[in-house]
Every structure is written in C-alpha cells, then in structure tokens.
Amino acid sequence: MVDILVHGVVMDTASNQLIADEIKRCYINIGWKSVTTRPHRKPYVRKTEDEFQIHGDYGQGFEEVTCETTWRAAKDTIKTYRDNEPGVQFKLKKKRVPIQA
C-alpha cells in the first residue's frame, strides 16, 4: 500500500479517504481543480419561472387558450381540451416568464 502526501495530509491510495479528520473541512487540490466550501456565496435565485401555454387553432391560427404552472397540469388540461373539442388542434408551449415580485 502506498501513501501520498497532499497539502500536508496523508492520503491512503487504496481507500482514497482522508486520514486526518480535522482536515475534512479544508480543500483538496485535484489537478487544476479545488473542491472547497464557500460560505460567503449567496444561493442562486431564479429570475424566471416556467409557464406552460396551451394554444388552440380555431380557424385564424393558433392562439393562447390557457396556461398552467406545471407540466403535468398542462398535459391533463390539453387532454381535456382534445376530448371535448375533437375538430380543433391544440399544442403545448413552454415559456419562461419573469417572476413578478
């Protein structure tokens, strides 16, 4: 078994685990990448939300009939529209809209 010294920490190559428990919170350099914890970073906040629009063709081209916030609800709604109006074509479009504060 061969041990490797990485930034002052002895690493066991067979199990690839840190031997020193107090160093687990620090970083390990792996080639050109380093894995660190960054408590100063803010979490990502989405600026848009998904909207699933149902479009129907009633003779003058496709126009928006309704919209849903989840894909499953939109699939259920478009199935209902197709069952109740058999001569009309319907399609589902996903749009990203800005979140209103």
Side-chain angles (χ1 to χ4, degrees):
M1 184 174 359
V2 178
D3 293 338
I4 300 174
L5 185 66
V6 178
H7 289 282
V9 179
V10 178
M11 299 270 305
D12 184 35
T13 56
S15 63
N16 200 15
Q17 293 179 353
L18 288 175
I19 295 174
D21 290 336
E22 66 272 1
I23 306 297
K24 285 185 180 178
R25 291 177 284 120
C26 297
Y27 67 93
I28 304 167
N29 267 341
I30 305 170
W32 55 273
K33 292 183 178 181
S34 65
V35 180
T36 62
T37 58
R38 298 180 183 189
H40 64 280
R41 274 196 173 177
K42 294 180 182 178
Y44 176 74
V45 178
R46 284 189 69 173
K47 297 167 188 71
T48 61
E49 60 186 359
D50 296 333
E51 180 179 87
F52 299 91
Q53 299 176 348
I54 297 172
H55 293 259
D57 186 6
Y58 291 100
Q60 285 86 28
F62 283 98
E63 58 188 45
E64 183 180 345
V65 179
T66 186
C67 65
E68 299 286 344
T69 55
T70 62
W71 180 81
R72 176 53 55 199
K75 291 295 278 187
D76 293 340
T77 305
I78 200 168
K79 184 178 184 298
T80 305
Y81 270 101
R82 287 179 177 154
D83 291 344
N84 292 333
E85 299 179 24
V88 180
Q89 292 180 352
F90 292 98
K91 66 180 179 179
L92 185 63
K93 289 181 95 175
K94 177 183 173 184
K95 289 283 202 171
R96 295 228 170 146
V97 294
I99 294 176
Q100 301 293 328

